[in-house]
Amino acid sequence: MSNVFIAFQHNEESRPVVDAIVADNPGAMVVHSPGLVKIDAPDRLTIRRATIEEQTGRAYDLQAIQVNLVTLSGHIDEDDDQFTLSWRH
């Protein structure tokens, strides 16, 4: 099994996204560094628009994660409702 990861700038805008990722991906491990928050997950990681909306209490355009995105690793599969990183076998 290989890890996928995604990293964001560590700021108030990315906090609900990180919280949503942790809520939806129980195996995810969060590492905080100065100015950066990185989330690793075994094999697959999904970011759901609905969970971010629950965290923020307002509508959320999933494309907005790009603003604070620093880097990622894995194959991307995305639509209006979710953004998934995985390693295809």
Side-chain angles (χ1 to χ4, degrees):
M1 200 183 313
S2 297
N3 280 355
V4 295
F5 72 82
I6 192 164
F8 297 97
Q9 294 176 32
H10 192 247
N11 59 34
E12 289 301 315
E13 292 176 15
S14 62
R15 185 185 315 260
V17 176
V18 172
D19 291 345
I21 292 170
V22 171
D24 286 337
N25 299 275
M29 297 171 289
V30 180
V31 177
H32 294 273
S33 301
L36 183 78
V37 60
K38 181 181 175 208
I39 303 115
D40 289 284
D43 216 30
R44 176 182 211 83
L45 182 142
T46 300
I47 304 170
R48 291 184 177 85
R49 179 188 49 79
T51 308
I52 297 170
E53 290 177 344
E54 289 172 15
Q55 297 288 331
T56 62
R58 60 182 170 77
Y60 189 85
D61 180 354
L62 201 51
Q63 294 297 312
I65 67 170
Q66 304 291 333
V67 173
N68 293 296
L69 179 65
V70 175
T71 189
L72 55 81
S73 176
H75 296 281
I76 300 169
D77 183 20
E78 65 180 316
D79 59 31
D80 291 339
D81 295 319
Q82 68 182 25
F83 181 99
T84 301
L85 294 172
S86 65
W87 291 116
R88 298 178 188 161
H89 300 283

mmCIF file of all heavy atoms in Angstrom, residues 3-11 14-42 45-47:
data_model
loop_
_atom_site.group_PDB
_atom_site.id
_atom_site.type_symbol
_atom_site.label_atom_id
_atom_site.label_comp_id
_atom_site.label_asym_id
_atom_site.label_seq_id
_atom_site.Cartn_x
_atom_site.Cartn_y
_atom_site.Cartn_z
ATOM 1 N N ASN A 3 1.119 5.607 0.184
ATOM 2 C CA ASN A 3 0.408 6.794 0.662
ATOM 3 C C ASN A 3 0.203 7.790 -0.464
ATOM 4 O O ASN A 3 1.057 7.960 -1.324
ATOM 5 C CB ASN A 3 1.188 7.478 1.776
ATOM 6 C CG ASN A 3 0.999 6.802 3.113
ATOM 7 O OD1 ASN A 3 0.215 5.879 3.260
ATOM 8 N ND2 ASN A 3 1.725 7.265 4.095
ATOM 9 N N VAL A 4 -0.939 8.467 -0.416
ATOM 10 C CA VAL A 4 -1.171 9.664 -1.210
ATOM 11 C C VAL A 4 -1.072 10.819 -0.224
ATOM 12 O O VAL A 4 -1.167 10.629 0.985
ATOM 13 C CB VAL A 4 -2.554 9.658 -1.895
ATOM 14 C CG1 VAL A 4 -2.633 8.541 -2.906
ATOM 15 C CG2 VAL A 4 -3.684 9.557 -0.888
ATOM 16 N N PHE A 5 -0.840 12.024 -0.728
ATOM 17 C CA PHE A 5 -0.834 13.162 0.184
ATOM 18 C C PHE A 5 -1.258 14.426 -0.527
ATOM 19 O O PHE A 5 -1.237 14.528 -1.748
ATOM 20 C CB PHE A 5 0.528 13.345 0.859
ATOM 21 C CG PHE A 5 1.628 13.856 -0.035
ATOM 22 C CD1 PHE A 5 1.760 15.210 -0.305
ATOM 23 C CD2 PHE A 5 2.543 12.968 -0.588
ATOM 24 C CE1 PHE A 5 2.791 15.672 -1.124
ATOM 25 C CE2 PHE A 5 3.573 13.423 -1.389
ATOM 26 C CZ PHE A 5 3.693 14.775 -1.664
ATOM 27 N N ILE A 6 -1.663 15.381 0.296
ATOM 28 C CA ILE A 6 -2.009 16.711 -0.178
ATOM 29 C C ILE A 6 -1.519 17.694 0.880
ATOM 30 O O ILE A 6 -1.550 17.381 2.072
ATOM 31 C CB ILE A 6 -3.526 16.847 -0.454
ATOM 32 C CG1 ILE A 6 -3.828 18.128 -1.219
ATOM 33 C CG2 ILE A 6 -4.338 16.724 0.826
ATOM 34 C CD1 ILE A 6 -5.213 18.153 -1.855
ATOM 35 N N ALA A 7 -1.027 18.845 0.448
ATOM 36 C CA ALA A 7 -0.520 19.842 1.386
ATOM 37 C C ALA A 7 -1.101 21.208 1.034
ATOM 38 O O ALA A 7 -1.226 21.564 -0.140
ATOM 39 C CB ALA A 7 1.004 19.888 1.342
ATOM 40 N N PHE A 8 -1.446 21.940 2.076
ATOM 41 C CA PHE A 8 -2.027 23.271 1.932
ATOM 42 C C PHE A 8 -1.219 24.282 2.728
ATOM 43 O O PHE A 8 -0.551 23.928 3.701
ATOM 44 C CB PHE A 8 -3.465 23.297 2.492
ATOM 45 C CG PHE A 8 -4.417 22.400 1.764
ATOM 46 C CD1 PHE A 8 -4.708 21.143 2.248
ATOM 47 C CD2 PHE A 8 -5.027 22.823 0.598
ATOM 48 C CE1 PHE A 8 -5.595 20.309 1.586
ATOM 49 C CE2 PHE A 8 -5.920 21.998 -0.073
ATOM 50 C CZ PHE A 8 -6.198 20.739 0.422
ATOM 51 N N GLN A 9 -1.353 25.543 2.345
ATOM 52 C CA GLN A 9 -0.838 26.607 3.185
ATOM 53 C C GLN A 9 -1.581 26.529 4.513
ATOM 54 O O GLN A 9 -2.778 26.235 4.554
ATOM 55 C CB GLN A 9 -1.095 27.976 2.554
ATOM 56 C CG GLN A 9 -0.351 28.213 1.275
ATOM 57 C CD GLN A 9 -0.742 29.549 0.656
ATOM 58 O OE1 GLN A 9 -1.052 30.506 1.350
ATOM 59 N NE2 GLN A 9 -0.735 29.583 -0.657
ATOM 60 N N HIS A 10 -0.872 26.756 5.598
ATOM 61 C CA HIS A 10 -1.487 26.683 6.923
ATOM 62 C C HIS A 10 -2.087 28.040 7.255
ATOM 63 O O HIS A 10 -1.387 28.947 7.697
ATOM 64 C CB HIS A 10 -0.438 26.268 7.956
ATOM 65 C CG HIS A 10 -1.014 25.886 9.263
ATOM 66 N ND1 HIS A 10 -0.809 26.616 10.385
ATOM 67 C CD2 HIS A 10 -1.801 24.846 9.612
ATOM 68 C CE1 HIS A 10 -1.435 26.041 11.398
ATOM 69 N NE2 HIS A 10 -2.045 24.964 10.938
ATOM 70 N N ASN A 11 -3.391 28.195 6.973
ATOM 71 C CA ASN A 11 -4.072 29.464 7.232
ATOM 72 C C ASN A 11 -5.542 29.200 7.538
ATOM 73 O O ASN A 11 -6.008 28.058 7.509
ATOM 74 C CB ASN A 11 -3.907 30.426 6.051
ATOM 75 C CG ASN A 11 -4.441 29.874 4.749
ATOM 76 O OD1 ASN A 11 -5.425 29.149 4.719
ATOM 77 N ND2 ASN A 11 -3.784 30.215 3.648
ATOM 78 N N SER A 14 -7.742 27.372 4.792
ATOM 79 C CA SER A 14 -7.562 25.932 4.587
ATOM 80 C C SER A 14 -8.006 25.093 5.788
ATOM 81 O O SER A 14 -8.189 23.894 5.657
ATOM 82 C CB SER A 14 -6.117 25.620 4.217
ATOM 83 O OG SER A 14 -5.243 25.978 5.249
ATOM 84 N N ARG A 15 -8.206 25.722 6.943
ATOM 85 C CA ARG A 15 -8.586 24.967 8.143
ATOM 86 C C ARG A 15 -9.838 24.121 7.952
ATOM 87 O O ARG A 15 -9.830 22.925 8.279
ATOM 88 C CB ARG A 15 -8.734 25.896 9.336
ATOM 89 C CG ARG A 15 -9.015 25.152 10.636
ATOM 90 C CD ARG A 15 -9.279 26.088 11.800
ATOM 91 N NE ARG A 15 -8.338 27.178 11.852
ATOM 92 C CZ ARG A 15 -7.278 27.224 12.656
ATOM 93 N NH1 ARG A 15 -7.035 26.214 13.469
ATOM 94 N NH2 ARG A 15 -6.479 28.259 12.646
ATOM 95 N N PRO A 16 -10.968 24.650 7.408
ATOM 96 C CA PRO A 16 -12.142 23.795 7.244
ATOM 97 C C PRO A 16 -11.934 22.668 6.229
ATOM 98 O O PRO A 16 -12.527 21.598 6.353
ATOM 99 C CB PRO A 16 -13.257 24.746 6.796
ATOM 100 C CG PRO A 16 -12.576 25.992 6.371
ATOM 101 C CD PRO A 16 -11.254 26.038 7.051
ATOM 102 N N VAL A 17 -11.069 22.894 5.254
ATOM 103 C CA VAL A 17 -10.760 21.851 4.281
ATOM 104 C C VAL A 17 -10.007 20.714 4.973
ATOM 105 O O VAL A 17 -10.341 19.538 4.804
ATOM 106 C CB VAL A 17 -9.944 22.408 3.095
ATOM 107 C CG1 VAL A 17 -9.540 21.292 2.143
ATOM 108 C CG2 VAL A 17 -10.725 23.494 2.367
ATOM 109 N N VAL A 18 -9.020 21.059 5.772
ATOM 110 C CA VAL A 18 -8.257 20.048 6.515
ATOM 111 C C VAL A 18 -9.172 19.305 7.481
ATOM 112 O O VAL A 18 -9.130 18.073 7.565
ATOM 113 C CB VAL A 18 -7.066 20.693 7.255
ATOM 114 C CG1 VAL A 18 -6.401 19.695 8.185
ATOM 115 C CG2 VAL A 18 -6.071 21.262 6.255
ATOM 116 N N ASP A 19 -10.028 20.020 8.196
ATOM 117 C CA ASP A 19 -10.965 19.380 9.126
ATOM 118 C C ASP A 19 -11.900 18.425 8.391
ATOM 119 O O ASP A 19 -12.197 17.326 8.880
ATOM 120 C CB ASP A 19 -11.781 20.432 9.878
ATOM 121 C CG ASP A 19 -10.943 21.242 10.864
ATOM 122 O OD1 ASP A 19 -9.808 20.821 11.178
ATOM 123 O OD2 ASP A 19 -11.433 22.302 11.300
ATOM 124 N N ALA A 20 -12.359 18.810 7.205
ATOM 125 C CA ALA A 20 -13.237 17.947 6.407
ATOM 126 C C ALA A 20 -12.500 16.692 5.942
ATOM 127 O O ALA A 20 -13.056 15.595 5.968
ATOM 128 C CB ALA A 20 -13.782 18.712 5.207
ATOM 129 N N ILE A 21 -11.250 16.853 5.538
ATOM 130 C CA ILE A 21 -10.452 15.699 5.102
ATOM 131 C C ILE A 21 -10.296 14.710 6.247
ATOM 132 O O ILE A 21 -10.483 13.501 6.070
ATOM 133 C CB ILE A 21 -9.078 16.143 4.570
ATOM 134 C CG1 ILE A 21 -9.238 16.925 3.271
ATOM 135 C CG2 ILE A 21 -8.153 14.937 4.375
ATOM 136 C CD1 ILE A 21 -7.975 17.619 2.796
ATOM 137 N N VAL A 22 -9.977 15.207 7.421
ATOM 138 C CA VAL A 22 -9.807 14.338 8.597
ATOM 139 C C VAL A 22 -11.122 13.629 8.924
ATOM 140 O O VAL A 22 -11.128 12.432 9.226
ATOM 141 C CB VAL A 22 -9.281 15.150 9.798
ATOM 142 C CG1 VAL A 22 -9.311 14.327 11.072
ATOM 143 C CG2 VAL A 22 -7.876 15.656 9.515
ATOM 144 N N ALA A 23 -12.239 14.341 8.836
ATOM 145 C CA ALA A 23 -13.546 13.745 9.133
ATOM 146 C C ALA A 23 -13.904 12.629 8.155
ATOM 147 O O ALA A 23 -14.470 11.608 8.556
ATOM 148 C CB ALA A 23 -14.627 14.827 9.118
ATOM 149 N N ASP A 24 -13.573 12.812 6.885
ATOM 150 C CA ASP A 24 -13.954 11.847 5.854
ATOM 151 C C ASP A 24 -12.929 10.741 5.608
ATOM 152 O O ASP A 24 -13.222 9.784 4.898
ATOM 153 C CB ASP A 24 -14.206 12.573 4.530
ATOM 154 C CG ASP A 24 -15.504 13.354 4.522
ATOM 155 O OD1 ASP A 24 -16.406 13.019 5.318
ATOM 156 O OD2 ASP A 24 -15.623 14.297 3.720
ATOM 157 N N ASN A 25 -11.735 10.877 6.153
ATOM 158 C CA ASN A 25 -10.663 9.908 5.902
ATOM 159 C C ASN A 25 -10.038 9.506 7.236
ATOM 160 O O ASN A 25 -9.011 10.053 7.651
ATOM 161 C CB ASN A 25 -9.604 10.543 4.994
ATOM 162 C CG ASN A 25 -10.168 10.937 3.646
ATOM 163 O OD1 ASN A 25 -10.241 10.143 2.731
ATOM 164 N ND2 ASN A 25 -10.580 12.198 3.531
ATOM 165 N N PRO A 26 -10.639 8.526 7.937
ATOM 166 C CA PRO A 26 -10.175 8.166 9.276
ATOM 167 C C PRO A 26 -8.707 7.734 9.347
ATOM 168 O O PRO A 26 -8.079 7.890 10.388
ATOM 169 C CB PRO A 26 -11.086 7.024 9.703
ATOM 170 C CG PRO A 26 -12.124 6.879 8.656
ATOM 171 C CD PRO A 26 -11.773 7.750 7.496
ATOM 172 N N GLY A 27 -8.151 7.235 8.271
ATOM 173 C CA GLY A 27 -6.752 6.810 8.265
ATOM 174 C C GLY A 27 -5.765 7.917 7.959
ATOM 175 O O GLY A 27 -4.558 7.696 7.912
ATOM 176 N N ALA A 28 -6.267 9.134 7.749
ATOM 177 C CA ALA A 28 -5.396 10.250 7.377
ATOM 178 C C ALA A 28 -4.544 10.700 8.555
ATOM 179 O O ALA A 28 -4.996 10.706 9.699
ATOM 180 C CB ALA A 28 -6.235 11.419 6.870
ATOM 181 N N MET A 29 -3.307 11.067 8.251
ATOM 182 C CA MET A 29 -2.374 11.575 9.258
ATOM 183 C C MET A 29 -2.019 13.014 8.885
ATOM 184 O O MET A 29 -1.610 13.280 7.756
ATOM 185 C CB MET A 29 -1.119 10.710 9.293
ATOM 186 C CG MET A 29 -1.380 9.273 9.700
ATOM 187 S SD MET A 29 0.053 8.217 9.474
ATOM 188 C CE MET A 29 0.104 8.135 7.683
ATOM 189 N N VAL A 30 -2.198 13.928 9.829
ATOM 190 C CA VAL A 30 -1.953 15.343 9.588
ATOM 191 C C VAL A 30 -0.621 15.737 10.218
ATOM 192 O O VAL A 30 -0.365 15.420 11.376
ATOM 193 C CB VAL A 30 -3.080 16.210 10.176
ATOM 194 C CG1 VAL A 30 -2.819 17.689 9.927
ATOM 195 C CG2 VAL A 30 -4.429 15.793 9.597
ATOM 196 N N VAL A 31 0.208 16.424 9.429
ATOM 197 C CA VAL A 31 1.502 16.916 9.911
ATOM 198 C C VAL A 31 1.520 18.425 9.704
ATOM 199 O O VAL A 31 1.369 18.908 8.585
ATOM 200 C CB VAL A 31 2.674 16.256 9.145
ATOM 201 C CG1 VAL A 31 4.002 16.834 9.606
ATOM 202 C CG2 VAL A 31 2.635 14.751 9.296
ATOM 203 N N HIS A 32 1.681 19.156 10.811
ATOM 204 C CA HIS A 32 1.754 20.617 10.752
ATOM 205 C C HIS A 32 3.219 21.037 10.739
ATOM 206 O O HIS A 32 4.004 20.584 11.556
ATOM 207 C CB HIS A 32 1.063 21.241 11.968
ATOM 208 C CG HIS A 32 -0.405 20.993 12.001
ATOM 209 N ND1 HIS A 32 -1.302 21.803 11.365
ATOM 210 C CD2 HIS A 32 -1.132 20.004 12.572
ATOM 211 C CE1 HIS A 32 -2.524 21.342 11.555
ATOM 212 N NE2 HIS A 32 -2.440 20.250 12.286
ATOM 213 N N SER A 33 3.555 21.892 9.799
ATOM 214 C CA SER A 33 4.884 22.493 9.704
ATOM 215 C C SER A 33 4.682 23.996 9.650
ATOM 216 O O SER A 33 3.578 24.462 9.378
ATOM 217 C CB SER A 33 5.591 22.037 8.425
ATOM 218 O OG SER A 33 5.728 20.642 8.391
ATOM 219 N N PRO A 34 5.725 24.767 9.853
ATOM 220 C CA PRO A 34 5.554 26.218 9.728
ATOM 221 C C PRO A 34 5.029 26.594 8.340
ATOM 222 O O PRO A 34 5.666 26.304 7.333
ATOM 223 C CB PRO A 34 6.967 26.769 9.950
ATOM 224 C CG PRO A 34 7.657 25.704 10.739
ATOM 225 C CD PRO A 34 7.071 24.403 10.267
ATOM 226 N N GLY A 35 3.832 27.157 8.299
ATOM 227 C CA GLY A 35 3.252 27.616 7.046
ATOM 228 C C GLY A 35 2.628 26.547 6.177
ATOM 229 O O GLY A 35 2.133 26.842 5.096
ATOM 230 N N LEU A 36 2.644 25.271 6.613
ATOM 231 C CA LEU A 36 2.189 24.168 5.773
ATOM 232 C C LEU A 36 1.486 23.127 6.616
ATOM 233 O O LEU A 36 1.898 22.846 7.741
ATOM 234 C CB LEU A 36 3.398 23.525 5.078
ATOM 235 C CG LEU A 36 3.142 22.400 4.102
ATOM 236 C CD1 LEU A 36 2.659 22.968 2.776
ATOM 237 C CD2 LEU A 36 4.408 21.597 3.890
ATOM 238 N N VAL A 37 0.427 22.550 6.072
ATOM 239 C CA VAL A 37 -0.206 21.393 6.693
ATOM 240 C C VAL A 37 -0.323 20.315 5.608
ATOM 241 O O VAL A 37 -0.827 20.555 4.524
ATOM 242 C CB VAL A 37 -1.574 21.739 7.341
ATOM 243 C CG1 VAL A 37 -2.553 22.276 6.334
ATOM 244 C CG2 VAL A 37 -2.152 20.556 8.063
ATOM 245 N N LYS A 38 0.223 19.133 5.918
ATOM 246 C CA LYS A 38 0.266 18.020 4.965
ATOM 247 C C LYS A 38 -0.580 16.886 5.515
ATOM 248 O O LYS A 38 -0.501 16.562 6.700
ATOM 249 C CB LYS A 38 1.708 17.552 4.782
ATOM 250 C CG LYS A 38 1.862 16.415 3.800
ATOM 251 C CD LYS A 38 3.320 15.996 3.686
ATOM 252 C CE LYS A 38 3.443 14.787 2.790
ATOM 253 N NZ LYS A 38 4.584 13.964 3.131
ATOM 254 N N ILE A 39 -1.389 16.298 4.641
ATOM 255 C CA ILE A 39 -2.228 15.178 5.031
ATOM 256 C C ILE A 39 -1.834 13.972 4.189
ATOM 257 O O ILE A 39 -1.907 14.011 2.968
ATOM 258 C CB ILE A 39 -3.725 15.493 4.839
ATOM 259 C CG1 ILE A 39 -4.100 16.741 5.642
ATOM 260 C CG2 ILE A 39 -4.578 14.325 5.293
ATOM 261 C CD1 ILE A 39 -4.519 17.865 4.790
ATOM 262 N N ASP A 40 -1.397 12.912 4.866
ATOM 263 C CA ASP A 40 -1.065 11.640 4.221
ATOM 264 C C ASP A 40 -2.184 10.647 4.493
ATOM 265 O O ASP A 40 -2.768 10.656 5.582
ATOM 266 C CB ASP A 40 0.219 11.052 4.825
ATOM 267 C CG ASP A 40 1.453 11.816 4.450
ATOM 268 O OD1 ASP A 40 1.903 11.655 3.314
ATOM 269 O OD2 ASP A 40 1.960 12.568 5.305
ATOM 270 N N ALA A 41 -2.449 9.776 3.537
ATOM 271 C CA ALA A 41 -3.447 8.730 3.726
ATOM 272 C C ALA A 41 -3.009 7.489 2.956
ATOM 273 O O ALA A 41 -2.444 7.606 1.869
ATOM 274 C CB ALA A 41 -4.811 9.185 3.249
ATOM 275 N N PRO A 42 -3.261 6.333 3.525
ATOM 276 C CA PRO A 42 -2.914 5.108 2.821
ATOM 277 C C PRO A 42 -3.826 4.870 1.623
ATOM 278 O O PRO A 42 -5.045 4.811 1.768
ATOM 279 C CB PRO A 42 -3.079 4.016 3.872
ATOM 280 C CG PRO A 42 -3.946 4.607 4.929
ATOM 281 C CD PRO A 42 -3.813 6.083 4.846
ATOM 282 N N LEU A 45 -7.475 9.255 -0.667
ATOM 283 C CA LEU A 45 -7.898 10.387 0.155
ATOM 284 C C LEU A 45 -8.980 11.132 -0.616
ATOM 285 O O LEU A 45 -8.806 11.413 -1.803
ATOM 286 C CB LEU A 45 -6.710 11.312 0.419
ATOM 287 C CG LEU A 45 -6.959 12.529 1.295
ATOM 288 C CD1 LEU A 45 -5.750 12.749 2.183
ATOM 289 C CD2 LEU A 45 -7.218 13.749 0.466
ATOM 290 N N THR A 46 -10.111 11.397 0.039
ATOM 291 C CA THR A 46 -11.220 12.067 -0.624
ATOM 292 C C THR A 46 -11.584 13.345 0.115
ATOM 293 O O THR A 46 -11.690 13.356 1.337
ATOM 294 C CB THR A 46 -12.452 11.140 -0.709
ATOM 295 O OG1 THR A 46 -12.097 9.981 -1.460
ATOM 296 C CG2 THR A 46 -13.622 11.825 -1.391
ATOM 297 N N ILE A 47 -11.786 14.412 -0.649
ATOM 298 C CA ILE A 47 -12.250 15.688 -0.119
ATOM 299 C C ILE A 47 -13.665 15.867 -0.646
ATOM 300 O O ILE A 47 -13.880 15.890 -1.863
ATOM 301 C CB ILE A 47 -11.361 16.854 -0.580
ATOM 302 C CG1 ILE A 47 -9.912 16.604 -0.185
ATOM 303 C CG2 ILE A 47 -11.878 18.178 -0.022
ATOM 304 C CD1 ILE A 47 -8.925 17.586 -0.819
#
